[in-house]
């Protein structure tokens, strides 16, 4: 399968409203749809910075777009089954719980993608923590202001 195939798959999922709700915390609505590509891009960029600059491991940006896309699709599907976002409107403790779930689930998804790359499992956990932090902080601030 070529590069164009994966780009087409990525774009298809980005514009498919029911599947894409990036992270357990982000409810699917017309108001949050513009956030989905932004969440994926932010997480991929932070992942790229951490891997390439901090760990000195060269990982292509397109691979990271795919990996963060898959991770966020899976967490969003789990978020549909376990709708934690309904509780996050009540207080920020639920935001923290959703954050921890996202970190652990996405970490578990990163492991098979990078089994052939020289990244330690706990470095992937740190990366998952930091990439989710980069997207959860603005969401938590937004929830806190509402």
């Amino acid at each position: 399968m070529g590069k164009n195939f994966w780009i087409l798959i990525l774009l298809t999922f980005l514009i498919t409203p029911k599947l894409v709700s990036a992270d357990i915390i982000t409810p699917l609505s017309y108001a949050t749809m513009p956030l989905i590509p932004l969440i994926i891009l932010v997480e991929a960029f932070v992942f790229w910075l951490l891997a390439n600059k901090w760990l000195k491991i060269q990982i292509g940006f397109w691979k990271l777009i795919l990996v963060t896309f898959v991770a966020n699709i899976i967490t969003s599907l789990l978020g549909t089954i376990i709708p934690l976002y309904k509780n996050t409107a009540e207080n920020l403790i639920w935001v923290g719980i959703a954050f921890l779930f996202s970190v652990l689930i996405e970490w578990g998804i990163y492991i098979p993608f990078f089994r052939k790359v020289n990244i330690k499992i706990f470095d992937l956990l740190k990366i998952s923590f930091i990439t989710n932090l980069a997207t959860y902080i603005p969401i938590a601030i937004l929830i806190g202001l509402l």
Side-chain angles (χ1 to χ4, degrees):
M1 289 181 240
K3 184 177 177 181
N4 290 337
F5 173 77
W6 289 111
I7 291 172
L8 181 62
I9 293 294
L10 175 70
L11 291 175
T12 300
F13 279 117
L14 285 175
I15 61 174
T16 303
K18 184 62 184 153
L19 287 178
V20 182
S21 62
D23 291 332
I24 288 176
I25 193 174
T26 310
L28 182 62
S29 71
Y30 288 110
T32 61
M33 285 302 289
L35 294 175
I36 308 312
L38 184 62
I39 288 171
I40 292 168
L41 286 173
V42 167
E43 287 189 11
F45 180 71
V46 171
F47 197 128
W48 181 85
L49 279 175
L50 292 170
N52 289 291
K53 304 298 181 192
W54 174 51
L55 296 174
K56 307 290 188 214
I57 298 171
Q58 298 301 315
I59 299 174
F61 188 71
W62 283 107
K63 180 175 183 173
L64 293 176
I65 290 284
L66 175 66
V67 170
T68 56
F69 173 74
V70 169
N72 281 286
I73 288 297
I74 291 172
T75 56
S76 69
L77 290 174
L78 289 172
T80 303
I81 296 167
I82 309 165
L84 291 177
Y85 65 86
K86 291 180 181 179
N87 297 323
T88 60
E90 295 172 16
N91 62 47
L92 291 177
I93 293 171
W94 283 102
V95 174
I97 292 168
F99 171 77
L100 289 175
F101 276 128
S102 288
V103 168
L104 294 174
I105 292 165
E106 290 182 16
W107 174 52
I109 294 164
Y110 292 161
I111 292 170
F113 273 97
F114 296 104
R115 69 182 181 276
K116 294 182 181 180
V117 180
N118 191 21
I119 298 180
K120 297 175 185 168
I121 291 175
F122 290 109
D123 285 339
L124 283 175
L125 179 60
K126 292 175 193 174
I127 288 173
S128 179
F129 180 84
I130 295 168
T131 57
N132 276 284
L133 199 60
T135 55
Y136 269 78
I137 287 175
I139 291 170
I141 290 170
L142 182 64
I143 290 171
L145 292 176
L146 294 177

